[in-house]
């Protein structure tokens, strides 16, 4: 099993854990110990899952650019922009996390006694990361058009998904930030779990759409393609246009090679 396949499965199914824990906090937990365990789990797993979603987008972008050193460097900086603020905010939040007394929790369930307003840093870092990714995607599309090169099916899929999914995620992210800043405290986090689920779903769809495009390019049905191959990103091929994605088939593997 390839690394990207592992990332795909973890990204796709991890939201079932943190979203379930989040719902359990809202509707079921009534003790401080339970609240602390569930809240800590969500605060830790939520950003890990979101980071894996961003990894899918970053690897797709690096493949689009043929894994050039400049793009790799930009993605390293992008990763730091995601991780450093998130880790700092999560540590401070968990250190200051407090809950009301048990008799209050019987009514309110797991409502922390401090605001999660600092979480805007995490969501802003996601917006910055996705803006970087889509900017590089559109820049590559422009440079390819200027050269007069044709866009193979896989490239068209990557350009389309990169732009459309970015617009959708940006709208949800901005709505979530606005809600966190101006809504009353008890409803300020109402969009956070939907944001997580949508983020995971769309980023998983990136890889699924690439697989479908590769299957159509190979002339195989999707079922036959899934049985015979797996989709991996490999190093650049020496060809006339480094934006070209070549589909290489063998008896047990199909590779998307930028």
């Amino acid at each position: 099993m390839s690394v990207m396949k592992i990332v795909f499965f973890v990204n796709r199914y991890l939201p079932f854990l943190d979203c379930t824990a989040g719902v359990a906090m809202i509707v079921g937990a009534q003790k401080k110990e339970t609240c602390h365990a569930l809240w800590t789990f969500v605060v830790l797993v939520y950003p890990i899952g979101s980071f894996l979603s961003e990894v899918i987008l970053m690897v797709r972008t690096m493949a689009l650019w043929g894994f050039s050193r400049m793009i790799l460097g930009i993605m390293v900086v992008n990763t730091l922009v995601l991780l450093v603020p998130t880790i700092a905010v999560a540590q401070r939040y968990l250190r200051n996390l407090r809950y009301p007394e048990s008799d209050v929790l019987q009514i309110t369930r797991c409502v922390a006694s401090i605001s999660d307003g600092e979480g805007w840093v995490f969501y802003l870092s996601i917006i910055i990361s996705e803006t970087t990714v889509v900017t590089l995607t559109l820049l590559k599309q422009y440079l390819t058009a200027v050269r007069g090169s044709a866009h193979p099916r896989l490239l068209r899929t990557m350009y389309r998904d990169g732009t459309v999914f970015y617009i959708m995620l940006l709208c949800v992210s901005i709505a979530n930030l606005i809600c966190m800043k101006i809504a009353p405290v008890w409803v300020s986090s109402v969009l956070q779990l939907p944001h997580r689920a949508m983020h995971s779903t769309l980023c998983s769809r990136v890889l699924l759409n690439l697989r479908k495009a590769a299957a159509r390019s190979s002339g195989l049905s999707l079922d036959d393609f899934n049985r015979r191959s797996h989709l991996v990103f490999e190093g650049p091929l020496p060809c006339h246009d480094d934006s070209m994605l070549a589909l290489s088939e063998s008896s047990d593997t199909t590779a998307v090679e930028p």
Side-chain angles (χ1 to χ4, degrees), residues 43-93:
V43 170
L44 294 177
V45 175
Y46 190 113
I48 291 174
S50 297
F51 176 70
L52 289 177
S53 297
E54 291 301 304
V55 166
I56 291 175
L57 299 180
M58 287 190 283
V59 171
R60 178 198 66 91
T61 303
M62 289 188 292
L64 190 62
W65 282 86
F67 292 92
S68 75
R69 292 183 178 180
M70 181 185 70
I71 301 302
L72 287 173
I74 293 174
M75 291 300 107
V76 169
V77 174
N78 201 45
T79 299
L80 293 176
V81 169
L82 277 170
L83 291 182
V84 174
T86 299
I87 293 173
V89 169
Q91 286 180 335
R92 189 187 327 178
Y93 182 81

Side-chain angles (χ1 to χ4, degrees), residues 131-254:
T131 301
T132 301
V133 165
V134 78
T135 299
L136 291 172
T137 300
L138 294 177
L139 177 60
K140 188 63 174 178
Q141 184 179 21
Y142 170 77
L143 293 176
T144 303
V146 168
R147 294 172 186 165
S149 302
H151 289 173
R153 188 188 300 273
L154 286 174
L155 269 181
R156 293 198 300 269
T157 300
M158 295 173 85
Y159 291 144
R160 181 201 65 200
D161 291 352
T163 304
V164 175
F165 291 175
Y166 168 76
I167 293 173
M168 296 173 66
L169 287 171
L170 180 63
C171 292
V172 175
S173 296
I174 291 175
N176 183 44
L177 284 174
I178 294 174
C179 191
M180 292 177 67
K181 284 299 183 181
I182 69 175
V185 174
W186 56 87
V187 294
S188 63
S189 61
V190 69
L191 291 180
Q192 292 179 12
L193 291 182
H195 178 278
R196 169 78 176 99
M198 184 176 181
H199 194 198
S200 171
T201 300
L202 292 181
C203 291
S204 296
R205 180 55 55 182
V206 166
L207 291 184
L208 290 176
N209 286 350
L210 284 177
R211 178 174 284 275
K212 289 180 180 179
R216 288 194 294 267
S217 298
S218 68
L220 298 172
S221 69
L222 185 58
D223 289 340
D224 290 338
F225 183 85
N226 288 334
R227 284 193 295 267
R228 293 178 51 187
S229 64
H230 63 275
L231 192 63
V232 297
F233 292 108
E234 296 182 353
L237 286 175
C239 59
H240 69 282
D241 183 0
D242 61 4
S243 71
M244 187 67 69
L245 293 181
L247 190 67
S248 172
E249 290 191 55
S250 66
S251 59
D252 61 348
T253 180
T254 299

